[in-house]
Coordinates of all heavy atoms in Angstrom, one line a residue:
V22 N 0.9 -1.2 0.0 CA 0.0 0.0 0.0 C 0.9 1.3 0.0 O 1.8 1.3 0.8 CB -0.9 0.0 1.2 CG1 -1.8 1.4 1.2 CG2 -1.7 -1.3 1.2
P23 N 0.7 2.2 -0.9 CA 1.5 3.4 -0.9 C 1.3 4.2 0.4 O 0.3 4.2 1.1 CB 0.9 4.1 -2.1 CG 0.2 3.2 -3.0 CD -0.3 2.1 -2.0
P24 N 2.2 5.1 0.7 CA 2.2 5.8 2.0 C 1.3 7.0 2.0 O 1.6 7.9 2.8 CB 3.8 6.1 2.2 CG 4.2 6.3 0.9 CD 3.5 5.3 0.0
T25 N 0.6 7.2 1.0 CA -0.2 8.5 0.7 C -0.7 9.2 2.0 O -0.5 10.4 2.0 CB -1.3 8.1 -0.3 OG1 -0.8 7.3 -1.4 CG2 -1.8 9.4 -0.8
H26 N -1.3 8.4 3.0 CA -2.0 9.1 4.0 C -1.3 8.8 5.3 O -2.0 9.0 6.4 CB -3.4 8.7 4.0 CG -4.1 9.1 2.8 ND1 -4.4 10.4 2.4 CD2 -4.8 8.3 1.7 CE1 -5.1 10.5 1.2 NE2 -5.3 9.2 0.8
L27 N -0.2 8.2 5.4 CA 0.5 7.9 6.7 C 1.0 9.2 7.3 O 1.9 10.0 6.7 CB 1.7 7.1 6.4 CG 1.5 5.6 6.1 CD1 2.8 4.9 5.9 CD2 0.7 4.9 7.3
I28 N 0.5 9.5 8.6 CA 0.9 10.9 9.1 C 2.2 11.0 9.5 O 2.7 12.0 10.0 CB -0.2 11.2 10.2 CG1 -0.1 10.2 11.3 CG2 -1.6 11.2 9.7 CD1 -1.0 10.6 12.5
N29 N 3.0 9.8 9.9 CA 4.2 9.9 10.3 C 5.4 10.1 9.2 O 6.6 10.2 9.7 CB 4.5 8.8 11.2 CG 4.6 7.4 10.5 OD1 4.2 7.3 9.3 ND2 5.1 6.3 11.1
T30 N 4.9 10.0 8.0 CA 5.8 10.2 6.8 C 5.7 11.5 6.3 O 4.7 12.0 6.0 CB 5.4 9.0 5.7 OG1 5.4 7.7 6.4 CG2 6.4 9.0 4.6
P31 N 6.9 12.2 6.0 CA 6.9 13.5 5.4 C 6.4 13.5 3.9 O 6.6 12.5 3.2 CB 8.4 13.9 5.4 CG 9.0 12.9 6.3 CD 8.3 11.7 6.2
Q32 N 5.7 14.5 3.7 CA 5.2 14.6 2.3 C 6.1 14.4 1.1 O 5.9 13.8 0.1 CB 4.5 15.9 2.1 CG 3.6 16.0 0.7 CD 2.5 14.9 0.6 OE1 1.8 14.8 1.4 NE2 2.6 14.4 -0.7
I33 N 7.5 14.9 1.4 CA 8.4 14.7 0.4 C 8.8 13.3 0.1 O 9.1 13.0 -1.0 CB 9.7 15.7 0.7 CG1 10.6 15.9 -0.5 CG2 10.5 15.2 1.9 CD1 9.9 16.5 -1.7
H34 N 8.8 12.6 1.1 CA 9.0 11.1 0.9 C 7.9 10.5 0.2 O 8.2 9.6 -0.7 CB 9.1 10.4 2.3 CG 10.2 10.7 3.1 ND1 10.9 9.9 4.1 CD2 11.2 11.8 3.3 CE1 11.9 10.5 4.6 NE2 12.2 11.7 4.1
K35 N 6.7 10.9 0.4 CA 5.6 10.3 -0.3 C 5.7 10.8 -1.8 O 5.4 9.9 -2.7 CB 4.3 10.8 0.2 CG 4.1 10.5 1.7 CD 2.7 11.1 2.3 CE 2.5 10.9 3.7 NZ 1.3 11.6 4.2
D36 N 6.2 12.0 -2.0 CA 6.3 12.4 -3.5 C 7.3 11.7 -4.2 O 7.3 11.4 -5.3 CB 6.6 13.9 -3.6 CG 5.4 14.9 -2.9 OD1 4.3 14.2 -3.0 OD2 5.7 15.9 -2.6
I37 N 8.4 11.4 -3.5 CA 9.6 10.7 -4.1 C 9.2 9.2 -4.4 O 9.4 8.6 -5.5 CB 10.8 10.7 -3.3 CG1 11.3 12.1 -3.1 CG2 11.9 9.7 -3.8 CD1 12.5 12.3 -2.2
C38 N 8.4 8.6 -3.4 CA 7.8 7.2 -3.6 C 6.9 7.2 -4.7 O 7.1 6.2 -5.6 CB 7.0 6.9 -2.4 SG 6.3 5.3 -2.4
K39 N 6.1 8.0 -4.9 CA 5.1 8.1 -6.1 C 5.9 8.3 -7.4 O 5.5 7.6 -8.5 CB 4.1 9.2 -5.9 CG 3.1 9.2 -7.0 CD 2.2 8.1 -7.2 CE 1.0 8.2 -8.0 NZ 1.4 8.3 -9.5
S40 N 7.0 9.2 -7.4 CA 7.6 9.4 -8.6 C 8.4 8.2 -9.0 O 8.5 7.8 -10.3 CB 8.7 10.6 -8.4 OG 9.4 11.0 -9.5
F41 N 8.9 7.3 -8.0 CA 9.7 6.1 -8.3 C 8.6 5.1 -8.9 O 9.0 4.4 -9.8 CB 10.4 5.8 -7.2 CG 11.0 4.4 -7.4 CD1 12.2 4.3 -8.1 CD2 10.6 3.2 -6.9 CE1 12.8 3.0 -8.4 CE2 11.1 1.9 -6.9 CZ 12.3 1.9 -7.8
E42 N 7.5 5.1 -8.4 CA 6.5 4.1 -8.8 C 6.1 4.4 -10.2 O 6.0 3.6 -11.1 CB 5.2 4.2 -7.8 CG 4.1 3.2 -8.2 CD 3.0 3.3 -7.3 OE1 2.1 4.3 -7.5 OE2 2.9 2.5 -6.4
D43 N 5.9 5.7 -10.6 CA 5.5 6.1 -12.0 C 6.7 5.6 -12.9 O 6.4 5.2 -14.0 CB 5.3 7.6 -12.0 CG 4.1 8.1 -11.3 OD1 3.3 7.4 -11.0 OD2 4.1 9.3 -11.0
Y44 N 7.9 5.7 -12.5 CA 9.0 5.3 -13.3 C 9.1 4.0 -13.7 O 9.1 3.5 -14.8 CB 10.3 5.8 -12.6 CG 11.5 5.5 -13.6 CD1 11.9 6.4 -14.6 CD2 12.2 4.3 -13.4 CE1 12.9 6.0 -15.4 CE2 13.3 4.0 -14.2 CZ 13.7 4.8 -15.2 OH 14.7 4.5 -16.0
I45 N 8.9 3.2 -12.5 CA 9.1 1.7 -12.8 C 7.8 1.1 -13.6 O 7.9 0.1 -14.2 CB 9.5 0.8 -11.5 CG1 8.2 0.9 -10.5 CG2 10.7 1.3 -10.8 CD1 8.3 -0.1 -9.4
R46 N 6.7 1.8 -13.4 CA 5.5 1.3 -14.2 C 5.6 1.7 -15.6 O 5.1 0.8 -16.3 CB 4.2 1.9 -13.5 CG 3.8 1.4 -12.1 CD 2.5 2.0 -11.7 NE 2.0 1.3 -10.4 CZ 1.0 1.4 -9.8 NH1 0.0 2.3 -10.3 NH2 0.5 0.8 -8.8
S47 N 6.5 2.5 -16.0 CA 6.7 2.7 -17.4 C 7.9 2.0 -18.0 O 8.1 2.0 -19.1 CB 7.0 4.2 -17.6 OG 8.2 4.6 -16.9
S48 N 8.6 1.3 -17.0 CA 9.6 0.4 -17.4 C 9.3 -1.0 -17.9 O 8.2 -1.4 -17.5 CB 10.7 0.3 -16.3 OG 11.6 -0.7 -16.6
D49 N 10.1 -1.6 -18.9 CA 9.6 -2.9 -19.4 C 10.3 -3.9 -18.3 O 9.7 -5.1 -18.5 CB 10.3 -3.1 -20.8 CG 9.7 -2.2 -21.9 OD1 8.4 -1.8 -21.6 OD2 10.4 -1.9 -22.7
L50 N 11.0 -3.5 -17.5 CA 11.7 -4.4 -16.6 C 10.7 -4.8 -15.4 O 10.1 -3.8 -14.9 CB 12.9 -4.0 -16.1 CG 14.0 -3.7 -17.1 CD1 15.3 -3.0 -16.4 CD2 14.3 -5.1 -17.9

């Protein structure tokens, strides 16, 4: 489950996590 609404996690960590997820979902690997 993505950390989207975890209150102990900084927003910038959530943004980096989402950006990485977007990247690997566009990857063939």
Side-chain angles (χ1 to χ4, degrees):
V22 181
T25 311
H26 300 294
L27 285 179
I28 63 173
N29 63 349
T30 304
Q32 184 60 47
I33 192 63
H34 288 205
K35 300 173 184 178
D36 294 342
I37 294 172
C38 177
K39 182 63 170 66
S40 186
F41 177 71
E42 181 182 81
D43 291 343
Y44 180 83
I45 65 172
R46 286 186 173 185
S47 67
S48 167
D49 294 333
L50 298 177

